Amino acid sequence: QLQLQESGPGLVQPSETLSLTCTVSGGSISSSSYYWGWIRQPPGKGLEWIGTIYYTGGTYYNPSLKSRITISMDTSKNQFSLTLSSVTAADTAVYYCARLGGQQLAHFDYWGQGTLVTVSS
Amino acid sequence: QSALTQPASVSGSPGQSITISCTGTSSDVGTYNFVSWYQHHPGKAPKVIIYDVSKCPSGVSNRFSGSKSGNTASLTISGLQTEDEADYYCCSYAGSRTYWVFGGGTKLTVL
């Protein structure tokens, strides 16, 4: 059974960089059959897609966040990561990592439990 | 403001059917048959219940069904059960610039 687990600091100072890692078990992120992504949910709000990475290293970012985001992967550790720079209180959210799967690679079929990141001094 | 519009809340009694709408534009829902729906119990990982507009993943109850007409997708839950009480989100592919957009979520209350 595929499992994803987010990890990283729960508190980040304003203007600093948020860094999260997703560790995947039960499957390989090097598979050509899937994409891997990050999604967030601010308190009391809906889900927002952040970005996605493919095993080739190709990345796709939310245009509204593109200037501040980097998604990378470490195949030796079976992990992929998110960095979000110059954070503000608006970046406070539960951050989820997920797999984009299915025959069309068009839905998020496995998700992590999510990790709350608070931006505050 | 979310890219896709969903009602904030819906409610129903056990055994009844409810429908949740998800309205997008011709740039997302209206063009692509890549609409998915997620059930989210607070504190847990979201779970896909419908993908590619109307397909049901293995292991998901066939009480969940999806459809699309024009720029609006719909999720129908028949034979409501108390465990269906959760938040529901729609998601659509939106092309090679925006990629993925979500709805604001709908809170389902089973009375």
Side-chain angles (χ1 to χ4, degrees), chain A residues 5-61:
Chain A
Q5 179 66 58
E6 306 87 351
S7 60
L11 181 65
V12 180
Q13 304 274 346
S15 80
E16 298 289 303
T17 296
L18 177 161
S19 296
L20 296 174
T21 296
C22 181
T23 300
V24 179
S25 57
S28 173
I29 65 170
S30 299
S31 169
S32 61
S33 300
Y34 308 105
Y35 287 76
W36 305 89
W38 290 95
I39 295 146
R40 70 180 181 179
Q41 183 177 28
K45 296 186 178 181
L47 298 170
E48 179 182 34
W49 173 73
I50 298 171
T52 300
I53 189 166
Y54 194 41
Y55 82 104
T56 57
T59 52
Y60 309 87
Y61 296 149

Side-chain angles (χ1 to χ4, degrees), chain B residues 69-106:
Chain B
S69 178
N71 296 338
T72 299
S74 298
L75 169 71
T76 297
I77 309 174
S78 58
L80 271 179
Q81 299 179 0
T82 54
E83 57 261 38
D84 297 333
E85 189 162 289
D87 297 321
Y88 291 84
Y89 293 90
C90 60
C91 177
S92 176
Y93 181 67
S96 60
R97 290 188 65 188
T98 310
Y99 297 106
W100 299 102
V101 290
F102 281 92
T106 298

Side-chain angles (χ1 to χ4, degrees), chain A residues 71-100:
Chain A
I71 297 177
S72 59
M73 60 187 354
D74 184 337
T75 54
S76 67
K77 296 181 179 179
N78 218 35
Q79 297 174 333
F80 61 101
S81 300
L82 167 71
T83 61
L84 177 64
S85 63
S86 305
V87 297
T88 69
D91 296 309
T92 293
V94 176
Y95 285 76
Y96 297 95
C97 58
R99 187 182 81 172
L100 194 59

